Amino acid sequence: MKIVGFSLEQGNKYFGRIDGARFFIGSRVPFEGGKGLMNIVGTAVQKYNRADFRSTYGFWADFIHPTAMAEGALYHTLNTYDRARFTFSFLQYAAHVPNGDFVTYVKALLQLPMASEYFPDLRIEDGRIVRIANEGIIILESDTSTERLLDYFNPSLREIEDTEVIQAAKLVHWAQNDPANRLAQVDIGIRHFQTKMVEYAARYALDGQPDTVCLVIADIRHQGRATSATILAALQSANPLKALLDIGEPRFHQRLLVLRREINRLIEEGILGTKKYSTAKKDFVNL
């Protein structure tokens, strides 16, 4: 079992120690009257690299790249200060969504060989994440709620609790030290986008729409920065791509700068701007 030690240094930085190795957990940040942790610091080798996954996932490895870059791209990207209470991974999987990507991610982690080392009190029973406690088995999530799972990872937004730091430290260390953890993140992320594109194609009539338009819609929905009505209005404009990329300005200006930059980079590389979505294939096909 991994024993976590941690310390608060330099006023607002938490550092952890597992197996004798010291590492950065996250910075203490205030947000809307509360406090939480944030970790968006890392090296290039700790970031998602689309080239590493093209042989397995093809075009989809590139399709998620702009969103990954906008979300931090680090496999240990961490945020515990906003309404989601706990987001983690290179695509920032959010723990507040029932049956969402974070729930799927934790379930995948619990099937890895190192699961009992990091979270010996968690397991999967009847398809649900449960905690083995002194009082018995506690179901942490359902089709309608992840409240107990949130309590397990981050008891509140009011303050940074020891529990929050320890659970964050485990996930950061695991992601940094186990390739299987990182592979799980990527597989879940790509499968999530593939599944969601089927849904978006039906909702927004995206059959035959270019890859760039589909990508921005997927990013909008991933972040949750606009309603379907706003997306549909943008699609009906004279320049749908520009209209979609303007959604969220000026509040999310920095994210949109990253998104535009990475989309343009993929266009210049001849990767984007070459495909359209096919509802029949449930995939992208050549123009």
Side-chain angles (χ1 to χ4, degrees), residues 45-46 115 133 226:
V45 297
Q46 293 173 325

Side-chain angles (χ1 to χ4, degrees), residues 56-251:
T56 302
Y57 299 104
F59 175 74
W60 289 96
D62 293 292
F63 185 79
I64 69 167
H65 168 79
T67 297
M69 293 297 289
E71 293 287 1
L74 292 161
Y75 290 111
H76 60 258
T77 301
L78 171 72
N79 165 6
T80 72
Y81 57 79
D82 65 14
R83 67 186 181 91
R85 277 174 58 185
F86 205 101
T87 64
F88 189 79
S89 89
F90 79 111
L91 282 170
Q92 292 208 45
Y93 301 148
H96 69 304
V97 182
N99 299 324
D101 41 22
F102 184 85
V103 171
T104 303
Y105 173 53
V106 173
K107 288 178 180 178
L109 291 184
L110 293 178
Q111 298 177 67
L112 296 180
M114 294 299 292
S116 61
E117 289 291 315
Y118 285 96
F119 295 103
D121 57 336
L122 296 186
R123 68 178 60 165
I124 300 173
E125 289 197 1
D126 297 325
R128 294 299 180 189
I129 302 168
V130 303
R131 182 185 175 213
I132 311 304
N134 291 334
E135 58 270 33
I137 295 174
I138 302 172
I139 300 172
L140 299 185
E141 47 86 26
S142 69
D143 288 338
T144 58
S145 175
T146 62
E147 192 62 31
R148 287 177 175 170
L149 187 67
L150 291 171
D151 290 342
Y152 180 85
F153 281 98
N154 181 9
S156 81
L157 292 174
R158 294 186 303 275
E159 190 50 83
I160 298 174
E161 298 89 359
D162 288 356
T163 294
E164 179 180 351
V165 178
I166 290 169
Q167 307 298 39
K170 289 178 181 179
L171 284 178
V172 169
H173 186 270
W174 195 354
Q176 290 178 347
N177 290 278
D178 186 2
N181 184 310
R182 300 190 290 274
L183 286 173
Q185 287 191 29
V186 174
D187 186 66
I188 288 163
I190 289 178
R191 286 192 290 109
H192 178 76
F193 271 66
Q194 289 172 331
T195 300
K196 287 297 183 180
M197 270 307 307
V198 175
E199 175 189 324
Y200 302 153
R203 181 171 298 184
Y204 307 121
L206 297 181
D207 188 41
Q209 287 286 344
D211 48 21
T212 49
V213 166
C214 294
L215 189 156
V216 180
I217 289 172
D219 183 80
I220 291 169
R221 291 299 308 272
H222 183 75
Q223 188 195 13
R225 64 179 175 271
T227 64
S228 287
T230 301
I231 292 171
L232 287 168
L235 285 170
Q236 293 166 9
S237 70
N239 188 337
L241 180 59
K242 181 182 183 303
L244 288 165
L245 281 168
D246 285 341
I247 293 174
E249 291 284 10
R251 182 181 178 187

